[in-house]
Amino acid sequence: MVEFKIDARSLREFADIVVSLNQEAKIDFTNKGLSTKVIDPAHIAMVLLEIDKDTFQDFKVEDEESVGIDIERLRNAMKLASSTDIINFKADGKKISIKYGNLSYNIPIIDPSSISTPKMLNLDISNKIIADFSLFLTGIKAAENFADVVTFHMKSDELKIMAKGESDLENAELSIPKSLAKEYVFTEEARSSYSLDYLSNFVRSLESVTDISVMLKTDYPLKIEAPVYNGKGKVTFILAPRIESI
């Protein structure tokens, strides 16, 4: 049995992060909180999301338990909730009950053993920048106007986020100089391209993020980490590279 209470905005962010890659997820509950690992059907991107029990207004877990959830159905059940509504969540082994205000919904539980769970990669990346999330988001939004591939280029003094259109005259570029970074670790010049669709869906799902950590290596998976829920949770995103550049 799993029961918790949380504001709708926080639960909606959790659902949005997960569904940016997959509609279904296995959620692992312990007395310390919850976690989930999700991979997209093409095995191009994965997410690890961990949330401490202190994020919740009430959190009860009888024993360590894994629950399979159709996340899209969970989002649909919260469509009428305001951001401040308190969601009452209960999983009894057969169904999930969602209640807020005068509304209640029941969602069938998915067998968690039927849901693919990825192993998080142990990546060897030494370059890292920690910067304001709004700067990073601006670069991704700018790239969306021109292309379906985005390129990151890290040098000793800046990180560039670049996208190229159909012609050489059509492009977008955002520079995050070392002076604006909250942390800047540089060991070697790095340049790598990634699918903008996966990256855009992920970053647009983040609501409680203020700072973001980006780890980059040439033609290597991109790793992004960020604290969520005022530091009471953490999200890790890994995206396979596209071997092309602008």
Side-chain angles (χ1 to χ4, degrees), residues 39-45 198:
I39 191 167
D40 75 291
H43 290 208
I44 292 173
Y198 284 95

Side-chain angles (χ1 to χ4, degrees), residues 114-128:
S114 69
I115 299 175
S116 176
T117 302
K119 291 183 179 180
M120 295 304 290
L121 301 177
N122 184 20
L123 299 176
D124 178 22
I125 309 175
S126 52
N127 285 345
K128 180 173 74 170

Side-chain angles (χ1 to χ4, degrees), residues 3 87 109 149 165-166 219:
E3 292 184 74
I87 305 294
I109 285 177
V149 174
E166 294 181 358
D219 295 336

Side-chain angles (χ1 to χ4, degrees), residues 5-7 10 50-58 228-229 231-233:
K5 295 180 181 179
I6 193 171
D7 64 276
S10 296
E50 302 167 293
I51 305 177
D52 190 91
K53 68 176 183 179
D54 292 338
T55 306
F56 303 85
Q57 294 192 9
D58 191 25
V228 290
Y229 308 123
K232 296 177 182 177

Side-chain angles (χ1 to χ4, degrees), residues 75-216:
R75 289 207 306 177
N76 289 339
M78 294 189 292
K79 279 185 175 179
L80 298 178
S82 69
S83 60
T84 57
D85 278 340
I86 302 302
I87 305 294
N88 293 267
F89 177 105
K90 181 178 179 180
D92 63 6
K94 295 182 179 180
K95 69 180 184 302
I96 296 167
S97 300
I98 302 291
K99 294 182 180 180
Y100 56 91
N102 296 319
L103 291 171
S104 62
Y105 298 86
N106 289 322
I107 304 170
I109 285 177
I110 301 172
D111 180 359
S113 65
S114 69
I115 299 175
S116 176
T117 302
K119 291 183 179 180
M120 295 304 290
L121 301 177
N122 184 20
L123 299 176
D124 178 22
I125 309 175
S126 52
N127 285 345
K128 180 173 74 170
I129 177 174
I130 299 178
D132 191 296
F133 174 65
S134 63
L135 281 174
F136 184 78
L137 182 59
T138 297
I140 299 303
K141 287 181 176 179
E144 290 172 348
N145 295 323
F146 292 93
D148 58 4
V149 174
V150 63
T151 296
F152 292 82
H153 186 190
M154 189 171 186
K155 298 188 291 185
S156 61
D157 59 347
E158 67 176 344
L159 171 69
K160 285 185 177 181
I161 302 173
M162 305 175 289
K164 176 184 174 183
E166 294 181 358
S167 74
D168 291 338
L169 299 177
E170 188 179 18
N171 59 77
E173 179 179 302
L174 175 84
S175 172
I176 304 178
K178 181 178 179 180
S179 60
L180 288 182
K182 299 183 179 180
E183 182 178 339
Y184 201 90
V185 179
F186 176 83
T187 59
E188 60 181 358
E189 188 168 347
R191 182 185 180 108
S192 195
S193 298
Y194 304 92
S195 167
L196 187 54
D197 186 40
Y198 284 95
L199 190 55
S200 179
N201 287 340
F202 169 69
V203 298
R204 286 180 176 272
S205 71
L206 305 176
E207 290 190 21
S208 63
V209 170
T210 55
D211 295 334
I212 193 164
S213 173
V214 179
M215 285 150 274
L216 184 68

